[in-house]
Amino acid sequence: MTLSADPVARIDRLYVGGEWVSKSQDDPVYEVVSPATGEVVAVAADPTIEDAERAVAAAREAFDNGPWPTLPLAERIAVLSRFCDEFEARKEEFDKAWTTESGPTLAHAGALDAGVVMIWRSLLEQARDLRLAERREVPDGIVDVLREPIGPAVVITAWNGPGLYLAMKLVPALLAGCPVVLKMAQESQLTAALVGEMAEAAGLPKGVLSVLAASTEVSAHLVAHPSIDKVSLTGSIPAGKAVMSACAGRLANVTLELGGKSPAVILDDIPLDDVLPSLVPGFIAFNGQICAALTRVVVPRHRHDEVVAALVERLQAMTVGDPADASSDLGPLASSRQFERVMGYIETGVREGADLVLGGGRPDGLDRGWYVAPTVFANVDPGATIAQEEIFGPVLSVIPYDSLDEAVDIANGTPYGLAASVYASDEELARRVAGRIRAGAVAVNTAGVSLFAPFGGFKQSGFGREFGLEGLAEFLQYKSVKVK
């Protein structure tokens, strides 16, 4: 695939079951719109229900009769190592494709996708020592305990990290021996085509992988399909509930990562110079379009104005502009839908009485594309809409507290429980507070989550874990064979 031969790239084939399926001019298409300009930059074949059926049939056949699930683990590792080689060799092309279709700055795309290679290779290395069969002497005899792939899997990813989701979801599923239908976001047409090309070059066997950047209708069809044994989703709470409902009738295995409303709790004893260098990137990376973004800053009441002023100063200094321009710190939101959503939340914040102290609209001079300036609300009530719901944009709520117990209550006071940060000079105190926060990943005196350790949510942020061997285990099931 090339993006340079034509002002509007054309993708007229789909990677289904390890083969390319050509689509005609009469088949439905999806127009990829640049978030930076609002102009169409690509026209791609839009996967249909029929394509989904073909993909599921290929995965089922590959699991029931193909070699992939029963290959020695070392052989699957070898194939997936070649797949990683292909990703690494074409990383720059992948970065540019992601920037074109979804709007992260090239710097952000490049840094995250470099991390993808590290995560991918780390998992493959850890898996070399994984024991999928173990003989145990038990009180009533001898049992072989086996770990086997669950079955054909649907892996549903979002537009905010198409490379990351390969290492986070796809590789563990394939490594476990599960053939996969990779259902990427409909916006991810360019990166989806590249994933197919990489898989083909790596030599994945027939039927083992299909890549469909498809609509929610196709996604719903895949999730409900009786031939699918496992569904792994990254998405919203409503999407997670829909997946659970669709899988309940056949009791299909489900892993859900459903976003967050992550707090940064600042305690009274720490200088802001020790907080801001990680807190600000932890909030604003990819314009807040990250599930673990620190979008609530919980501060001692007497330090509220100091914290707000420091945040405003840092965020005002950032350049919002063309994501392909190296001078841009921030690019646009990913789509017109995201733009309208974020602007709606900003209007709600103002209407409910929070103090808008920065941003709130388009940056000056950026009249096309989906740009929103970094936005800060001060004196936010913990129960306000903007403090309770995931906005997925550059909107920060600063919430004052009067006691440590109140700070913990505020941190835990949303339906989410994905990530959090605690900042304190007294590290032991920070660790104790971290232990009281109901979130799957908590950072002490920094921001972000480890991409090499188990990651997942509490409460309505979902269940199951990703990354590391725990992420691989989500696609395996135990079998006991009594031999004596």
Side-chain angles (χ1 to χ4, degrees):
M1 184 193 74
T2 177
L3 299 181
S4 59
D6 190 318
V8 177
R10 297 191 177 274
I11 304 169
D12 58 3
R13 61 180 188 165
L14 302 173
Y15 188 73
V16 181
E19 300 176 339
W20 291 102
V21 176
S22 296
K23 308 294 282 188
S24 73
Q25 292 183 343
D26 296 328
D27 288 318
V29 296
Y30 180 84
E31 292 184 338
V32 180
V33 176
S34 164
T37 65
E39 298 175 352
V40 175
V41 293
V43 176
D46 198 17
T48 64
I49 297 294
E50 291 73 22
D51 297 316
E53 281 289 336
R54 187 181 296 114
V56 171
R60 187 79 250 178
E61 174 66 20
F63 184 76
D64 292 341
N65 301 307
W68 188 253
T70 58
L71 275 182
L73 182 59
E75 293 187 31
R76 291 202 293 268
I77 289 172
V79 175
L80 294 173
S81 293
R82 294 197 299 270
F83 196 175
C84 187
D85 292 342
E86 291 296 326
F87 181 86
E88 187 169 23
R90 301 184 67 174
K91 188 187 84 66
E92 185 174 340
E93 184 181 1
F94 194 92
D95 297 344
K96 291 177 180 177
W98 181 27
T99 293
T100 299
E101 69 191 12
S102 295
T105 63
L106 277 176
H108 176 82
L112 189 63
D113 288 339
V116 167
V117 175
M118 295 174 61
I119 299 162
W120 196 325
R121 295 203 187 283
S122 174
L123 177 59
L124 295 181
E125 189 59 36
Q126 290 180 75
R128 295 183 191 281
D129 297 323
L130 186 64
R131 296 176 65 185
L132 297 178
E134 176 187 354
R135 176 155 290 189
R136 298 182 186 176
E137 292 188 13
V138 294
D140 62 351
I142 297 176
V143 176
D144 287 339
V145 179
L146 312 179
R147 302 177 76 186
E148 298 182 350
I150 288 176
V154 166
V155 169
I156 304 173
T157 66
W159 43 261
N160 67 331
L164 179 63
Y165 293 122
L166 299 182
M168 183 177 179
K169 292 178 177 288
L170 176 63
V171 173
L174 293 174
L175 188 56
C178 297
V180 174
V181 180
L182 176 61
K183 209 301 292 184
M184 297 177 69
Q186 202 169 18
E187 295 89 344
S188 301
Q189 300 290 338
L190 306 178
T191 48
L194 288 172
V195 172
E197 292 176 8
M198 295 170 189
E200 180 184 42
L204 264 70
K206 182 179 178 180
V208 169
L209 178 62
S210 298
V211 184
L212 304 177
S215 66
T216 54
E217 179 187 11
V218 170
S219 183
H221 184 81
L222 289 168
V223 166
H225 204 291
S227 292
I228 293 300
D229 296 330
K230 169 76 182 187
V231 177
S232 177
L233 166 78
T234 293
S236 65
I237 288 177
K241 291 178 178 179
V243 166
M244 286 194 69
S245 178
C247 291
R250 67 185 193 282
L251 297 177
N253 190 290
V254 176
T255 297
L256 301 175
E257 192 271 279
L258 305 179
K261 192 67 182 175
S262 301
V265 179
I266 301 176
L267 302 188
D268 198 27
D269 66 336
I270 189 165
L272 286 187
D273 286 347
D274 294 339
V275 175
L276 297 176
S278 63
L279 171 57
V280 171
F283 154 59
I284 203 63
F286 197 8
N287 267 355
Q289 298 173 120
I290 294 174
C291 58
L294 296 173
T295 55
R296 294 184 297 146
V297 177
V298 184
V299 301
R301 190 174 300 277
H302 73 92
R303 299 190 69 184
H304 173 274
D305 293 351
E306 170 200 5
V307 171
V308 168
L311 289 167
V312 167
E313 181 181 8
R314 291 257 179 160
L315 293 168
Q316 276 181 325
M318 291 188 164
T319 300
V320 182
D322 182 351
D325 188 331
S327 67
S328 296
D329 298 306
L330 302 170
L333 299 183
S335 66
S336 60
R337 182 179 68 252
Q338 279 297 110
F339 179 86
E340 295 300 330
R341 172 186 172 88
V342 171
M343 292 304 297
Y345 273 109
I346 292 171
E347 292 169 6
T348 297
V350 172
R351 185 173 64 250
E352 292 184 355
D355 298 334
L356 178 62
V357 296
L358 180 68
R362 285 182 176 273
D364 292 340
L366 294 173
D367 298 326
R368 64 175 189 160
W370 316 124
Y371 295 93
V372 174
T375 297
V376 177
F377 282 97
N379 291 302
V380 177
D381 185 279
T385 300
I386 59 171
Q388 286 290 312
E389 298 183 11
E390 185 176 43
I391 298 172
F392 229 58
V395 181
L396 184 66
S397 296
V398 183
I399 306 171
Y401 69 85
D402 294 307
S403 70
L404 184 56
D405 286 344
E406 184 186 10
V408 172
D409 288 343
I410 291 170
N412 289 332
T414 76
Y416 294 96
L418 188 64
S421 288
V422 179
Y423 291 92
S425 291
D426 183 341
E427 186 172 315
E428 181 56 37
L429 174 61
R431 288 177 180 273
R432 290 200 301 271
V433 173
R436 296 174 64 186
I437 293 178
R438 296 283 296 163
V442 185
V444 171
N445 290 333
T446 187
V449 301
S450 172
L451 303 182
F452 302 91
F455 172 70
F458 286 16
K459 301 188 288 184
Q460 292 190 42
S461 283
F463 50 79
R465 290 298 178 263
E466 296 173 312
F467 298 124
L469 291 178
E470 291 81 2
L472 172 59
E474 293 287 322
F475 295 92
L476 293 167
Q477 58 189 348
Y478 283 96
K479 175 189 286 184
S480 295
V481 179
K482 185 172 174 57
V483 297
K484 185 177 180 180

